[in-house]
């Protein structure tokens, strides 16, 4: 045999001599991860308690009218208007999900499979813009449809991303024209 092969044959991993210490470290790490998860969950519940003054979300009327626009995509959450890191979790508004949006003459119907559906009446709509982020989600400029609306005396920003991002501009134009029309009719 050549000397190189002999050297390789002599090398060997060290035997584990202290199993108790290794098991202790693994158990300690698992307990630490469980503690962090539990603290995150308690923080989420506490945030919901602090936001308990938010009234129940409105539901769509039985006859909402003809659809002006429809969209499928993702609902990324709701925040206090203008504060894109202050997530609102009350009534399931903090739960990300798939979404089907329908804009009618009466408002915006938000259908979320696996989460609470809600309806934003046209009188509660305040603004629609193209944004780049909302709590926990940052995209390129204009990658997010952000709808500002009022509920329970609080302004809320809700973030949506279409499966086809090119649709966002049409949604911004349609929602803002509805708001302007509603304000003009209300001023008469």
């Amino acid at each position: 045999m050549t000397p190189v092969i002999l050297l390789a044959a002599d090398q060997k991993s060290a035997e584990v001599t202290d199993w108790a210490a290794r098991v202790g470290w693994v158990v300690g790490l698992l307990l630490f991860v469980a503690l962090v998860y539990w603290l995150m969950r308690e923080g989420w519940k506490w945030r919901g308690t602090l936001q308990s003054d938010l009234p129940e979300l409105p539901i769509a009327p039985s006859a909402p009218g003809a659809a002006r626009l429809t969209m499928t995509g993702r609902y990324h959450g709701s925040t206090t208007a203008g504060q894109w890191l202050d997530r609102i979790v009350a009534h399931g508004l903090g739960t990300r999900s798939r979404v089907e949006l329908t804009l009618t003459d009466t408002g915006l119907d938000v259908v979320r499979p696996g989460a609470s559906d809600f309806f934003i009446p046209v009188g509660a709509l305040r603004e629609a813009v193209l944004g780049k982020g909302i709590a926990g989600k940052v995209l390129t400029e204009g990658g997010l449809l952000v709808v500002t609306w009022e509920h329970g005396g609080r302004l809320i920003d809700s973030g949506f991303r279409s499966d086809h991002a090119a649709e966002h501009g049409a949604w911004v134009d349609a929602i803002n024209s509805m708001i302007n029309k509603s304000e003009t009719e209300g001023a008469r």
Side-chain angles (χ1 to χ4, degrees):
M1 276 196 186
T2 63
V4 175
I5 295 174
L6 289 176
L7 287 175
D10 288 341
Q11 291 180 352
K12 191 173 166 184
S13 298
E15 292 290 326
V16 176
T17 57
D18 193 0
W19 279 101
R22 291 224 178 185
V23 169
W25 277 103
V26 169
V27 169
L29 182 62
L30 290 175
L31 288 174
F32 177 73
V33 168
L35 174 68
V36 168
Y37 176 76
W38 179 78
L39 288 172
M40 288 171 43
R41 186 168 186 266
E42 289 300 308
W44 186 270
K45 288 177 12 184
W46 178 249
R47 181 173 284 275
T49 301
L50 292 176
Q51 297 168 349
S52 63
D53 63 330
L54 194 67
E56 286 294 322
L57 299 173
I59 57 172
S62 57
R68 289 176 142 199
L69 288 173
T70 60
M71 173 176 84
T72 59
R74 303 249 349 133
Y75 168 79
H76 287 289
S78 292
T79 63
T80 301
Q83 300 177 11
W84 69 286
L85 291 176
D86 186 20
R87 184 186 298 267
I88 296 176
V89 299
H91 307 297
L93 286 176
T95 306
R96 288 186 183 175
S97 62
R98 293 285 304 157
V99 71
E100 296 171 9
L101 292 178
T102 306
L103 183 64
T104 66
D105 289 332
T106 57
L108 181 63
D109 189 17
V110 181
V111 177
R112 302 185 305 152
S116 303
D117 300 341
F118 60 97
F119 181 76
I120 305 171
V122 71
L125 290 169
R126 296 295 177 255
E127 181 182 29
V129 296
L130 295 177
K132 66 177 183 177
I134 200 156
K137 187 65 173 181
V138 178
L139 300 162
T140 60
E141 190 66 44
L144 197 65
L145 170 65
V146 179
V147 177
T148 303
W149 53 292
E150 184 176 357
H151 181 61
R154 183 181 296 187
L155 285 178
I156 298 172
D157 284 342
S158 293
F160 306 95
R161 179 159 173 84
S162 173
D163 290 336
H164 309 285
E167 297 177 339
H168 290 169
W171 277 82
V172 168
D173 294 341
I175 291 173
N176 287 332
S177 70
M178 282 180 68
I179 294 168
N180 292 336
K181 181 180 174 186
S182 173
E183 289 173 354
T184 303
E185 289 175 357
R188 290 184 198 173

